[in-house]
DNA sequence: TTCTGTGAAAAGTTTCACAGCA
DNA sequence: TGCTGTGAAACTTTTCACAGAA
């Protein structure tokens, strides 16, 4: 597999850990909500609670971005919104295409959190000729035949795949060949892509299976005998899910 | 105050790392495909490729479950399917409810990977009285008023929230109070739940933002010298993992 | 005083590399 | 021989705990 060693030890100022990157959108959402309520500053403790993490982690995360807080006071909400947006690349416009306009594709097209965050749905694409021209979420659906042209005309670099599993790899290949370098995959299949292309996947059934794993564990461990009624919100001691390994609800009513 | 989260001193065999649990569904899917093609055995190398991970990781993962392979040969597909299914708790039936039957809820209701994996949609629930009785994916939608009764009558312990953000916490509270102990949240909001309840979230806009971060980086840094024309082969090791769950779980415990 | 920013320790995860079984 | 299973090393992420700015 030739080529350079593992790139990116890059301990430059630009070395933001992946785990931190994955949490920035969470902070951003919490901050946006505060901003809308015109809250001027927020402490790491408050913001952490709103984002569902603990404050040490949040401070550490922010320390990778720079020193944007004020000791004894907290963080300036507006300023932090801007800094995180910039870090995430949301100060620019990202045209995206959604391929596969079934229920899921339609749900995505209708999803509001889109436009408000620097993303713009440049086109909806489906293989069914019967759908062509019909508007979904106010955007006319276009046929797969035009995929390459759409990508190029709009300078799209992010594609969302919401097709059935069987079509996903092929769609992916076409997107990549046309110039897309980031893909969000909702189809339950592993995509293979060339180096330099990012793929993230969202998979409902995997999430459910992980829940089932923990659920099973809860049922198996410590269940006190009999007790026909459901324990519902009874605060369980040591919490069964915490057992195997972390997966701790970081959010606590506390 | 609470704390006192004791640490499991790497106890007995039941200590499967969370990262491993998150990959088991992936292996299971690849194995199921092999099983359908009547492939009798598979090596760690082949299975790893199909699941989009490397073989050392796969072997390590399986070592937490037990020694189910045969040296010099590989793994028996059927046996492994069974062992992983059992480990994940998929040998039992999990009734789930989906709350919020918009486009997304409908997409979830129609999602096939459901039934085939030990999950059964026990009910669809929506707050809109106009939807009540109308079938979606062959299942009649019921009104939110009946939520508690539905949960109890069906012994539901897993709930899926696909409502707008504003309704999510309230729905969550009702689910939990009625006995649900695992929640899959699609609403873009942080849920707070009592100890002992697991929440996993799936958030489209977060995934897109993470992609945007990497996309921005690609555009920014780039070649050390010559500026190649096409990105496709740019040797960036950063996060070009093919396939699944590259580095950071797409979903985090709440 | 209050709250950030951060070294250092701990915990968790991945990768390496090879012993040893079929 | 060919492949699994696994210690040990390398790396990543989280947590602790406290110095120091406002």
């Amino acid at each position: 597999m030739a080529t350079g060693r593992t790139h990116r030890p890059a301990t430059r100022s630009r070395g933001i850990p992946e785990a931190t990157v994955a949490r920035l959108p969470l902070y951003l959402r919490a901050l946006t909500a505060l901003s809308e309520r015109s809250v001027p500053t927020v402490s790491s403790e408050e913001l952490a609670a709103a984002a569902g993490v603990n404050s040490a982690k949040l401070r550490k995360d922010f320390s990778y971005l720079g020193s944007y807080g004020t000791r004894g006071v907290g963080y300036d909400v507006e300023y932090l919104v801007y800094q995180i947006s910039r870090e995430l690349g949301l100060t620019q416009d990202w045209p995206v295409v959604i391929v596969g306009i079934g229920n899921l594709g339609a749900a995505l097209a209708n999803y509001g959190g889109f436009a408000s965050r620097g993303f713009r749905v440049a086109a909806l694409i489906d293989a069914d000729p019967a759908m062509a021209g019909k508007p979904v979420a106010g955007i006319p659906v276009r046929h797969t035949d035009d995929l390459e042209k759409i990508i190029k005309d709009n300078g799209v670099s992010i594609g969302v795949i919401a097709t059935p599993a069987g079509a996903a790899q092929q769609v992916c290949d076409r997107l990549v060949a046309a110039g897309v370098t980031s893909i969000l995959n909702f189809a339950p299949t592993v995509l293979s892509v060339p180096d330099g292309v990012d793929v993230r996947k969202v998979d409902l059934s995997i999430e459910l299976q992980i829940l089932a794993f923990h659920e099973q564990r809860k049922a198996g461990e410590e269940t006190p005998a009999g007790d026909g009624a459901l324990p519902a919100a009874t605060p369980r001691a040591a919490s069964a899910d915490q057992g195997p390994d972390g997966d701790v609800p970081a959010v606590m009513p506390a």
Side-chain angles (χ1 to χ4, degrees), chain A:
Chain A
M1 51 229 351
T3 20
R5 308 273 37 202
T6 351
H7 257 216
R8 206 59 10 149
T11 320
R12 262 214 213 94
S13 51
R14 287 288 105 144
I16 303 179
E18 195 53 36
T20 295
V21 171
R23 281 187 295 266
L24 292 181
L26 231 48
Y27 302 142
L28 184 55
R29 180 147 74 210
L31 284 164
T32 303
L34 292 171
S35 170
E36 274 159 14
R37 293 198 284 120
S38 302
V39 176
T41 61
V42 66
S43 69
S44 63
E45 201 70 56
E46 294 163 331
L47 183 54
V53 304
N54 72 52
S55 65
K57 196 185 282 181
L58 176 144
R59 288 199 303 278
K60 189 60 135 183
D61 283 343
F62 286 179
S63 79
Y64 294 116
L65 308 184
S67 292
Y68 297 146
T70 305
R71 292 170 199 237
V73 177
Y75 301 90
D76 181 277
V77 172
E78 295 303 328
Y79 185 55
L80 204 44
V81 164
Y82 171 72
Q83 290 299 343
I84 294 179
S85 296
R86 194 176 48 82
E87 198 62 62
L88 285 171
L90 304 181
T91 49
Q92 64 186 280
D93 179 70
W94 294 105
V96 304
V97 294
I98 301 174
V99 186
I101 314 300
N103 270 313
L104 178 58
L108 299 178
N110 278 297
Y111 181 55
F114 249 17
S116 60
R117 291 271 187 286
F119 300 99
R120 178 171 52 82
V121 180
L124 305 179
I125 303 178
D126 198 277
D128 180 358
M131 293 215 55
K134 282 179 36 179
V136 170
I139 303 166
V141 174
R142 305 190 50 183
H143 191 263
T144 319
D145 287 348
D146 300 334
L147 187 145
E148 286 77 10
K149 180 166 167 40
I150 294 168
I151 301 292
K152 284 168 184 158
D153 288 354
N154 293 276
V156 171
S157 56
I158 301 180
V160 177
I161 297 179
T163 64
Q169 182 64 59
Q170 197 187 103
V171 166
C172 173
D173 292 344
R174 289 181 64 186
L175 287 173
V176 170
V180 165
T181 47
S182 287
I183 291 177
L184 182 52
N185 180 31
F186 285 86
T189 192
V190 174
L191 294 178
S192 55
V193 294
D195 245 30
V197 176
D198 270 324
V199 177
R200 297 190 65 86
K201 75 177 161 45
V202 173
D203 191 319
L204 164 69
S205 109
I206 285 181
E207 297 308 318
L208 275 180
Q209 289 174 51
I210 296 171
L211 282 178
F213 173 87
H214 292 297
E215 195 62 38
Q216 171 182 239
R217 193 104 344 161
K218 288 179 206 168
E221 257 172 40
E222 51 158 344
T223 307
D227 177 321
L230 292 162
T234 305
R236 315 167 129 264
S239 99
D241 35 306
Q242 156 96 304
D245 274 311
D247 200 298
V248 204
V251 181
M252 278 176 278

